[in-house]
């Protein structure tokens, strides 16, 4: 240690003496070093024209640009010196030739994207106008990338399954392999084509986006000196160009930069659409959606997603990740729509065929043979519809949820799929409800300016109403229950979710996932609401059809001819034949409604309805039965049965009471009071809504049609003036309709109120003093025409 310490001291002494000896010359050495460097630069400047000339001859344009960029500032600084001025002039002449050569290489039709980029970087270093360079570069890359994409798509069509290993398409002279039909082979073929497309095109597009952004859209950066300016990289500027790409940027003004950014964005949008259109061609859906294997498409979308993530510039600058997510979402929507639209299409095709079949039948087919097909048709259609949704449709959706692709199985992937399917499923029900309205014939005729299209028969509206009601009460809840059990119970966190209890129209309880509960209630409400509207339209159509026969008889100024047809007899001989036809129409309508809304559906059931009406009429038809000729409200008791109300309980009271208060020779002082009483009664009577809500039952439907029928009758009477003959005939007809309509209704107050209004209107519009028939005469006439 002593020896080491002594040695260190000796070294320190020597260093101190050397430092003292050289201290006086250190500044001089530093000055000489600076002079040496300056002389070296001056020597490089004097040799620069020769160096540039050699680079031009050897086509080493990158090296020439490096040399010139390194000395351009120094030449500008010493431009006042004649020697440097001449060198600068000579160098500019050489660099003009270099620039010309670079532009020729850049605009060469065979130039690749990388070569165009390298040439553009050199032009930026040479400080060419940046606005013009941005336009040129964008145009050149546009042509190159468009041609590249077109060529790549053409080569993809002949790409075999195994060619993705070398990324080369099959030769034109080679024998094409027969495309296998198995899902695995289809999956490999689509995967190889997408890989080929991404490697050939997507990477080039990523390079262009990166270079354009670096050249023109980012702030300018200083060019670093090359490490070895004396070495030439040869004729290929690619490696040197890559270094330049990272440090070169043009100095553009704010407005010019905004214009360049907008043009760049427009081009990226256009070429992205073409790229995704090519990708979409790999995601073709089969003609029958049930033949699709969803995992094939999902794996392809997964490859597309991660291939895009590997292109950093496309994601950060061109938002390609968002674009790919939009493509994935669009596929999910298209897939779900295709599944659900198939069910809707089949259902609507069934309705169309049935409507065309009914139109072809017309009136040639009896109502009995027509209505017996309804129940089986609806049951088969609803069963097929439900089986498809809970069978093939649900199976394919389940395959999407169970796929092993990382894109789906990552956090939130399955929930995103379920949310998309849920949205499309709700829209599917909405679409069905919207399409249902197209199969309902309008009440009013088609305007002459439009093409006349025969409307579907009213029975289609009745069927559609029944089907929509079944959807709202049973089918929608059952289908959503199946979706909830299959799609949502498979999730790992389903146990922590709260199920919602929902009851169907039959009172059965179902537990459905919380996410679906709101949709279920909404869809059920929409189905029931539209079912109600369609049923109301059916009632309007049928009511209008039946009432048309009344409008044909009671047209204005037709009563005179009507009186002539009655003959010379002071009493009506029979009920007007049209009312028998109307009752027959109502019977047929009732049979249609019975088939869809309950009641007897076979021959025995129809007979029971007829026997019930006949039983109600028996007390009136039996000989020796007393009746109140003046009206009243007597009831008849049939032996062994409950109290049965007679259909003639209030018969003719309206006509007799009105006639008894009106003067036959001169205005009666009680006339005004009677009319006042009538108006007061109207104020306190229940308002009858003709086109209102129709109860979804046989009684409600028939009552709706009858209200339209009676209202039409009342309004047609108001358009006419009556004589005694027509007044009495109207009295008989109204009593006949009272007897016949009694079987179709439950609440007689509405019918009696409307018939009372009919009587009042007829009395006021009689130009002669009305002479109503006594009830015995009416009873005799009606009794002779009543037949079941």
């Amino acid at each position: 240690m002593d020896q080491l310490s002594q040695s260190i001291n000796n070294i320190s002494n020597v260093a101190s003496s050397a430092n003292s000896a050289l201290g006086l010359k250190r500044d001089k050495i530093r000055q000489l070093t600076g002079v040496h460097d300056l002389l070296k630069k001056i020597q490089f400047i004097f040799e620069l024209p020769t160096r540039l000339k050699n680079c031009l001859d050897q086509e080493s344009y990158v090296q020439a640009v490096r040399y010139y960029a390194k000395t351009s500032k120094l030449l500008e600084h010493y431009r006042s010196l004649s020697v440097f001025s001449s060198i600068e002039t000579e160098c500019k002449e050489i660099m003009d030739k270099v620039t010309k050569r670079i532009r020729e290489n850049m605009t060469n039709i065979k130039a690749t994207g990388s070569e165009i980029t390298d040439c553009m970087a050199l032009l930026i270093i040479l400080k060419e106008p940046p606005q013009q360079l941005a336009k040129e570069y964008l145009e050149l890359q546009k042509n190159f990338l468009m041609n590249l994409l077109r060529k790549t798509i053409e080569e993809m069509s002949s790409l075999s399954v195994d060619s993705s290993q070398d990324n080369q398409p099959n030769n034109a002279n080679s024998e094409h392999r027969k495309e296998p039909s198995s899902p695995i082979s289809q999956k490999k073929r689509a995967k190889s084509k997408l890989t080929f497309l991404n490697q050939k095109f997507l990477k080039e597009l990523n390079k262009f986006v990166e270079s354009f952004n670096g050249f023109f859209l980012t702030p300018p950066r200083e060019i670093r000196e090359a490490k070895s300016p004396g070495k030439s990289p040869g004729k290929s500027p690619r490696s040197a160009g890559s270094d330049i790409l990272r440090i070169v940027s043009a100095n553009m003004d704010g407005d010019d930069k905004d214009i360049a950014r907008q043009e760049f964005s427009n081009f990226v949008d256009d070429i992205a659409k073409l790229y995704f259109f090519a990708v979409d061609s790999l995601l073709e859906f089969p003609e029958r959606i049930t033949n699709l294997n969803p995992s094939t498409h999902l794996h392809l979308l997964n490859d597309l997603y991660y291939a895009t993530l590997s292109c950093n510039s496309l994601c950060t600058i061109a938002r390609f990740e968002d674009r790919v997510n939009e493509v994935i979402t669009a596929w999910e929507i298209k897939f779900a729509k295709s599944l659900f639209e198939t069910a809707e299409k089949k259902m609507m095709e069934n309705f169309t065929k049935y409507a065309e079949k009914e139109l072809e039948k017309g009136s040639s087919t009896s109502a009995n043979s027509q209505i017996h097909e309804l129940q089986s048709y609806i049951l088969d259609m609803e069963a097929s519809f439900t089986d498809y949704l809970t069978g093939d449709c649900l199976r394919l959706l389940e395959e999407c949820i169970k796929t092993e692709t990382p894109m789906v199985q990552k956090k939130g992937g399955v929930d995103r799929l379920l949310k998309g399917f849920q949205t499309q499923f709700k829209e599917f029900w909405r679409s069905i409800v919207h399409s249902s309205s197209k199969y309902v014939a309008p009440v009013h005729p088609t305007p002459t300016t439009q093409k006349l299209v025969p409307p579907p028969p009213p029975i289609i509206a009745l069927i559609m109403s029944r089907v929509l009601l079944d959807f709202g009460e049973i089918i929608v809840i059952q289908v959503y229950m199946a979706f909830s059990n299959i799609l949502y119970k498979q999730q790992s966190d389903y146990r922590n979710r709260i199920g919602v209890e929902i009851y169907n129209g039959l009172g059965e309880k179902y537990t459905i996932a919380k996410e679906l509960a709101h949709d279920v209630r909404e869809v059920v409400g929409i189905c029931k609401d539209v079912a109600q509207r369609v049923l109301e339209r059916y009632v309007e159509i049928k009511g209008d059809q039946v009432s048309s026969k009344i409008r044909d008889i009671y047209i204005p100024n037709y009563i005179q001819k009507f009186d002539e047809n009655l003959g010379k007899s002071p009493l009506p001989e029979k009920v007007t034949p049209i009312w028998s036809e109307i009752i027959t129409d109502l019977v047929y309508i009732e049979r249609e409604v019975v088939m869809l809304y309950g009641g007897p559906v076979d021959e025995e059931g129809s007979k029971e309805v007829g026997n019930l009406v006949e039983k109600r009429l028996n007390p009136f038809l039996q000989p020796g039965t007393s009746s109140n000729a003046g009206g009243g409200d007597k009831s008849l008791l049939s032996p062994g049965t409950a109290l049965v109300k007679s259909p003639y309980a209030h018969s003719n009271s309206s006509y007799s009471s009105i006639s008894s208060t009106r003067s036959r020779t001169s205005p009666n002082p009680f006339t005004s009071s009677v009319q006042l009483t009538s108006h007061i009664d109207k104020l306190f009577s229940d308002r009858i809504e003709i086109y209102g809500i129709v109860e979804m039952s046989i009684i409600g439907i028939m009552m709706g049609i009858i209200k339209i029928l009676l209202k039409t009758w009342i309004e047609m009477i108001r358009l006419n003036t009556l004589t005694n003959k027509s007044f009495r005939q109207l009295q008989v007809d109204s009593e006949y309709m009272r007897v016949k309509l009694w079987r179709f209704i439950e609440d007689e107050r509405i019918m009696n109120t409307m018939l009372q209004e009919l009587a009042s209107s007829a009395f006021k519009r009689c130009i002669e003093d009305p002479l109503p028939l006594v009830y015995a005469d009416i009873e005799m006439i009606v009794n002779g025409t009543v037949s079941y």
Side-chain angles (χ1 to χ4, degrees):
M1 292 298 295
D2 292 339
Q3 292 177 358
L4 179 60
S5 178
Q6 185 177 0
S7 299
I8 290 174
N9 291 332
N10 293 335
I11 292 173
S12 178
N13 293 333
V14 173
S16 297
S17 60
N19 185 40
S20 300
L22 296 176
L24 299 176
K25 299 180 179 181
R26 183 178 291 109
D27 295 337
K28 188 176 181 179
I29 293 173
R30 187 179 294 110
Q31 291 178 356
L32 291 176
T33 301
V35 172
H36 178 266
D37 293 339
L38 181 61
L39 291 175
K40 188 175 180 181
K41 290 180 180 179
I42 294 175
Q43 182 181 3
F44 182 80
I45 291 175
F46 282 111
E47 295 177 354
L48 181 61
T50 303
R51 291 175 180 269
L52 295 179
K53 185 67 170 58
N54 292 335
C55 290
L56 178 62
D57 295 339
Q58 297 176 6
E59 299 182 359
S60 300
Y61 307 126
V62 176
Q63 193 62 55
V65 172
R66 285 178 178 271
Y67 288 157
Y68 185 73
K70 179 181 178 181
T71 58
S72 60
K73 292 184 178 180
L74 189 61
L75 289 173
E76 292 178 1
H77 182 72
Y78 293 102
R79 184 180 296 172
S80 58
L81 300 178
S82 60
V83 61
F84 287 101
S85 177
S86 61
I87 292 175
E88 182 184 15
T89 303
E90 186 177 1
C91 290
K92 283 187 176 181
E93 292 178 354
I94 298 174
M95 292 308 298
D96 288 341
K97 297 179 180 179
V98 171
T99 302
K100 184 178 179 181
R101 296 278 184 89
I102 292 174
R103 287 188 177 277
E104 291 176 353
N105 292 341
M106 184 176 64
T107 56
N108 191 336
I109 193 173
K110 296 182 179 180
T112 63
S114 298
E115 292 172 350
I116 295 173
T117 300
D118 293 342
C119 292
M120 182 55 60
L122 298 178
L123 293 178
I124 292 174
I125 294 175
L126 294 175
K127 297 184 178 180
E128 293 288 311
Q131 299 85 355
Q132 183 65 26
L133 289 180
K135 292 181 180 180
E136 291 182 12
Y137 185 54
L138 185 61
E139 189 65 27
L140 290 172
Q141 286 285 12
K142 181 186 297 185
N143 294 333
F144 168 73
L145 291 172
M146 287 292 188
N147 293 330
L148 177 63
L149 180 59
R150 177 184 54 79
K151 183 179 178 181
T152 304
I153 293 175
E154 291 176 354
E155 293 176 350
M156 281 171 54
S157 60
S158 59
L159 192 68
S160 65
V161 177
D162 299 330
S163 62
S164 60
Q165 297 176 358
D166 55 3
N167 298 321
Q168 295 295 331
N170 292 337
N171 295 329
N173 298 328
S174 63
E175 297 182 358
H176 294 282
R177 297 182 180 181
K178 184 177 181 181
E179 293 186 355
S181 58
S182 64
I184 297 178
S185 299
Q186 293 177 0
K187 179 179 177 181
K188 289 183 178 179
R189 183 167 60 255
K191 182 180 179 66
S192 64
K193 289 183 178 181
L194 180 63
T195 302
F196 180 78
L197 176 64
N198 290 338
Q199 290 182 351
K200 285 285 186 178
F201 173 76
L202 196 62
K203 289 185 177 180
E204 288 293 335
L205 180 61
N206 182 67
K207 291 179 181 178
F208 160 70
V209 171
E210 180 184 7
S211 61
F212 191 92
N213 181 70
F215 286 161
F216 305 107
L217 303 182
T218 57
R221 291 164 289 179
E222 294 294 334
I223 302 175
R224 298 191 298 269
E225 294 186 1
K227 294 182 180 180
S228 53
K231 295 182 181 180
S232 174
K235 295 183 180 182
S236 176
R238 186 165 301 173
S239 59
S242 300
D243 295 335
I244 293 176
L245 177 63
R246 291 192 292 268
I247 59 177
V248 172
S249 60
N251 187 10
M252 295 182 66
D253 296 334
D255 295 339
D256 295 332
K257 186 177 293 185
D258 292 338
I259 295 174
R261 180 180 288 107
Q262 184 62 42
E263 293 177 351
F264 166 74
S265 178
N266 293 339
F267 167 67
V268 173
D269 289 340
D270 293 340
I271 199 143
K273 291 178 181 178
L274 297 176
Y275 168 76
F276 288 120
F277 182 78
V279 173
D280 190 60
S281 65
L282 303 177
L283 300 171
E284 294 182 354
F285 286 86
E287 186 175 353
R288 294 185 60 183
I289 189 63
T290 53
N291 294 334
L292 175 67
N293 183 11
S295 62
T296 301
H297 285 191
L298 287 174
H299 279 87
L300 200 66
L301 292 171
N302 181 77
D303 295 342
L304 174 66
Y305 178 76
Y306 285 101
T308 304
L309 289 181
S310 64
C311 299
N312 184 61
S313 297
L314 283 176
C315 293
T316 57
I317 301 172
R319 300 183 300 104
F320 239 62
E321 183 178 1
D322 296 338
R323 299 172 188 263
V324 172
N325 287 331
E326 292 174 0
V327 171
I328 295 173
T329 303
W331 178 88
E332 295 170 357
I333 294 174
K334 183 179 179 181
F335 171 65
K337 277 188 174 181
S338 299
L339 279 178
F340 301 139
E341 284 178 355
T342 300
E344 180 182 356
K345 183 179 178 181
K346 290 180 178 179
M347 175 180 168
M348 293 306 165
E349 284 179 352
N350 285 335
F351 276 106
T352 302
K353 292 179 180 179
Y354 193 86
E356 293 174 352
K357 181 180 177 182
E358 293 300 320
L359 284 175
E360 291 176 358
K361 289 181 179 180
S363 59
S364 61
T365 307
S366 63
N368 287 331
S369 61
Q370 183 180 6
I371 62 178
H372 282 294
E373 302 175 2
L374 292 181
Q375 192 170 22
S376 60
Y377 164 73
I378 291 179
L379 291 176
D380 293 343
M381 187 274 296
E382 290 180 350
S384 175
F385 178 82
T386 306
D387 291 343
Y388 171 78
L389 290 178
T390 58
D392 293 338
C393 185
L394 187 56
R395 172 181 58 82
L396 292 175
L397 295 177
E398 185 182 8
E399 290 181 10
C400 294
I401 302 301
K402 289 184 175 181
T403 183
E404 297 179 355
T405 55
M407 177 187 69
V408 176
Q409 295 304 325
K410 70 177 183 179
K411 186 177 180 181
V414 175
D415 290 338
R416 179 178 53 81
L417 272 177
L418 288 176
K419 188 175 181 180
F421 293 157
Q422 177 185 353
T423 301
Q424 294 306 314
F425 197 41
K426 185 169 68 173
E427 291 300 321
F428 155 72
W429 292 106
R430 288 180 176 271
S431 179
I432 284 184
V433 171
H434 176 72
S435 300
S436 301
S437 60
K438 300 178 181 179
Y439 292 86
V440 180
V443 175
H444 302 289
T446 306
T448 56
T449 56
Q450 299 181 8
K451 184 179 179 181
L452 294 177
V453 178
I459 187 64
I460 300 301
L462 186 62
I463 296 174
M464 187 65 72
S465 174
R466 176 72 258 184
V467 171
L468 291 177
L469 183 60
D470 290 344
F471 282 175
E473 291 189 340
I474 301 175
I475 295 178
V476 170
I477 298 177
Q478 288 181 346
V479 172
Y480 266 103
M481 181 65 184
F483 276 53
S484 176
N485 291 338
I486 300 299
L487 300 181
Y488 285 83
K489 282 190 175 180
Q490 296 179 1
Q491 305 306 311
S492 58
D493 60 339
Y494 182 81
R495 296 179 179 178
N496 299 327
R497 303 185 182 186
I498 301 175
V500 178
E501 294 182 353
I502 295 179
Y503 292 85
N504 66 3
L506 302 178
E508 299 172 342
K509 182 175 68 175
Y510 293 86
T511 303
I512 297 180
K514 183 179 179 181
E515 294 84 349
L516 301 177
H518 179 270
D519 290 354
V520 173
R521 295 190 180 98
E522 182 179 351
V523 172
V524 166
I526 292 174
C527 290
K528 290 183 178 180
D529 180 62
V530 177
Q532 179 69 45
R533 296 180 185 178
V534 175
L535 182 61
E536 291 170 3
R537 177 60 63 86
Y538 169 79
V539 170
E540 292 176 8
I541 297 171
K542 281 297 187 180
D544 184 73
Q545 288 181 352
V546 176
S547 301
S548 63
K549 297 181 179 181
I550 299 179
R551 292 193 295 268
D552 293 340
I553 293 181
Y554 293 97
I555 60 176
N557 303 322
Y558 188 69
I559 297 300
Q560 292 79 3
K561 296 182 180 180
F562 186 74
D563 289 342
E564 294 176 0
N565 295 331
L566 293 179
K568 298 181 179 180
S569 175
L571 297 178
E573 298 178 356
K574 60 181 179 179
V575 178
T576 306
I578 192 63
W579 299 111
S580 177
E581 297 179 13
I582 290 176
I583 294 298
T584 302
D585 294 340
L586 292 177
V587 171
Y588 288 160
I589 294 173
E590 184 186 39
R591 291 176 180 175
E592 287 183 351
V593 176
V594 163
M595 289 298 297
L596 297 176
Y597 282 89
V601 296
D602 52 6
E603 294 295 334
E604 294 182 359
S606 300
K607 291 180 179 179
E608 290 178 3
V609 174
N611 293 335
L612 177 60
V613 177
E614 187 175 355
K615 182 178 179 180
R616 289 175 174 176
L617 294 176
N618 275 337
F620 169 72
L621 297 176
Q622 288 175 355
T625 303
S626 62
S627 62
N628 184 10
D633 57 352
K634 288 188 177 181
S635 300
L636 300 175
L637 184 62
S638 177
T641 62
L643 191 65
V644 180
K645 189 191 305 179
S646 170
Y648 290 89
H650 302 281
S651 59
N652 208 36
S653 60
S654 57
Y655 292 91
S656 59
S657 61
I658 293 175
S659 62
S660 63
T661 59
R662 180 169 178 178
S663 174
R664 298 174 184 262
T665 58
S666 62
N668 192 293
F670 295 98
T671 302
S672 59
S673 61
V674 170
Q675 293 178 352
L676 179 61
T677 304
S678 176
H679 293 315
I680 293 176
D681 289 340
K682 287 183 179 180
L683 290 176
F684 291 96
S685 61
D686 295 335
R687 181 176 180 272
I688 300 175
E689 191 173 0
I690 305 301
Y691 295 99
I693 298 176
V694 177
E695 182 184 350
M696 305 187 83
S697 64
I698 302 174
I699 298 297
I701 296 172
M702 297 306 299
M703 191 67 239
I705 297 173
I706 291 171
K707 286 192 296 183
I708 297 175
L709 174 68
L710 295 179
K711 184 63 176 177
T712 303
W713 197 3
I714 294 171
E715 295 302 324
M716 294 308 298
I717 293 299
R718 288 177 178 173
L719 297 177
N720 286 276
T721 54
L722 305 179
T723 62
N724 254 324
K725 289 183 180 181
S726 55
F727 179 80
R728 291 176 176 180
Q729 183 66 49
L730 183 63
Q731 187 180 5
V732 172
D733 293 343
S734 65
E735 198 63 35
Y736 171 80
M737 291 302 292
R738 185 193 304 275
V739 175
K740 289 294 187 177
L741 295 179
W742 191 61
R743 61 164 290 188
F744 299 107
I745 63 177
E746 186 176 30
D747 187 0
E748 297 181 39
R749 291 178 300 172
I750 296 177
M751 180 184 70
N752 291 333
T753 300
M754 298 189 74
L755 289 177
Q756 177 73 29
E757 185 178 355
L758 176 68
S760 176
S761 180
F763 183 82
K764 294 176 182 179
R765 281 157 182 78
C766 187
I767 59 177
E768 303 174 352
D769 289 332
L771 298 175
L773 296 173
V774 295
Y775 185 68
D777 295 336
I778 299 175
E779 183 179 6
M780 178 184 63
I781 298 172
V782 174
N783 186 25
T785 57
V786 172
S787 62
Y788 277 87

